[in-house]
Amino acid sequence: MAFKSGKVETVSISDGGSSSPPNWCFFGWLLALTQLLLHGALGLVLFWVIYYLDGFGWRDNPTLLFNYHPVLMVGGFVYLSGNALLSYRSFGCCRHIYKKLFHTVFHILAVPAIVMGFLTVWDSRNLTVPPIANFWSLHSWMGLTTMGLFAIQLVVGFFSFLILLCCEARTAALRAALVPVHATFGLITFLMAIATCLTGITEKAINNLGAKYRDLGDAAIVINVLAVTLLALMILMPVLLLFDKFRSRRVQVVAVHGL
């Protein structure tokens, strides 16, 4: 309530969108670098598989069938999920509902990639003669844990989004309580996914190259550059998501009505 010229005026406040975070120059460079690394990781794993692992195949060639696995898992868990997390930073000029929509779409696109990535490695091991045992390595245990966390996050996020669309005002307190938990476990899931990718890449490199890995040939260099790219994402993503000055602030539009 405000007083002006002897008249009583009421002030109403509405959410008119979001503003860009402060320190926008430094933030922009970090965001651009992170996007470059996300695209680079996807490009490097594709190059590695196509150029050094003889590309892709189907069920009649279990070795080439396996090659879908690293591409789909990096694409789903790192590239698409990473962009889902960054949607709250990349689209700072948009309304919050649009950022949430981008976040949801990226995660939905990641689901078939992750599912197909799991099925291809499952089939490739079972179709190999003799069959290769499943779920014995550290990589496979970490992968199962990461997929479980991702599934829980997806259910909680979808549930929260539906509540937002159905009865936004009545569930504000519940959604506000869910946000920090959902965001924290989302980042944990992303970091777990990168750690799982690193163990899987190392396992594949050792099995495929053997003692030649120590000679640091062309394939080994590509593998190591891919691993360093993923490690860099492990550093930059938490900085962008957790550093408070990079958070977008909602713009409050003030409408003054004179009585």
Side-chain angles (χ1 to χ4, degrees):
M1 182 174 291
F3 296 92
K4 184 178 181 181
S5 301
K7 296 182 180 180
V8 178
E9 299 176 342
T10 61
V11 179
S12 63
I13 300 175
S14 61
D15 184 5
S18 298
S19 64
S20 297
N23 303 315
W24 61 270
C25 185
F26 182 56
F27 168 80
W29 279 106
L30 279 183
L31 184 61
L33 178 59
T34 304
Q35 283 291 348
L36 179 64
L37 292 173
L38 286 171
H39 286 79
L42 186 59
L44 281 169
V45 72
L46 272 169
F47 177 74
W48 174 46
V49 166
I50 293 173
Y51 195 80
Y52 293 105
L53 300 181
D54 300 324
F56 306 101
W58 203 233
R59 293 171 64 90
D60 58 333
N61 191 332
T63 301
L64 297 184
L65 176 63
F66 173 87
N67 290 345
Y68 287 103
H69 176 69
V71 173
L72 290 170
M73 288 307 193
V74 170
F77 270 127
V78 178
Y79 180 78
L80 290 171
S81 293
N83 275 290
L85 295 179
L86 287 178
S87 61
Y88 290 102
R89 300 292 182 269
S90 302
F91 307 106
C93 59
C94 299
R95 292 175 65 92
H96 187 72
I97 185 63
Y98 298 142
K99 290 188 281 188
K100 185 178 282 288
L101 184 61
F102 282 121
H103 179 77
T104 304
V105 168
F106 277 120
H107 273 314
I108 290 175
L109 291 174
V111 171
I114 293 169
V115 171
M116 291 302 297
F118 173 77
L119 292 177
T120 52
V121 70
W122 177 270
D123 284 346
S124 68
R125 290 179 177 273
N126 291 337
L127 293 172
T128 301
V129 181
I132 302 174
N134 292 293
F135 309 126
W136 58 270
S137 66
L138 173 64
H139 170 67
S140 61
W141 283 34
M142 291 177 66
L144 286 174
T145 304
T146 305
M147 286 191 292
L149 287 173
F150 181 84
I152 294 171
Q153 282 290 101
L154 197 67
V155 171
V156 171
F158 189 67
F159 177 70
S160 173
F161 188 69
L162 280 181
I163 288 178
L164 173 67
L165 294 178
C166 296
C167 43
E168 180 178 2
R170 296 182 180 180
T171 59
L174 174 61
R175 287 183 289 105
L178 280 177
V179 165
V181 177
H182 182 64
T184 300
F185 277 94
L187 181 57
I188 290 173
T189 303
F190 180 80
L191 297 178
M192 275 287 297
I194 290 185
T196 304
C197 288
L198 291 173
T199 58
I201 290 168
T202 303
E203 183 181 310
K204 181 63 176 178
I206 292 173
N207 291 337
N208 194 57
L209 296 177
K212 294 181 180 179
Y213 192 16
R214 286 176 290 184
D215 297 335
L216 205 63
D218 291 345
I221 291 174
V222 171
I223 291 168
N224 288 353
V225 171
L226 173 59
V228 170
T229 301
L230 294 173
L231 282 172
L233 285 170
M234 290 187 77
I235 298 171
L236 288 177
M237 288 291 288
V239 171
L240 282 171
L241 296 175
L242 298 179
F243 192 41
D244 190 61
K245 290 185 178 180
F246 292 156
R247 297 180 186 271
S248 298
R249 306 302 181 189
R250 293 194 179 186
V251 176
Q252 292 181 327
V253 179
V254 179
V256 180
H257 307 282
L259 295 178

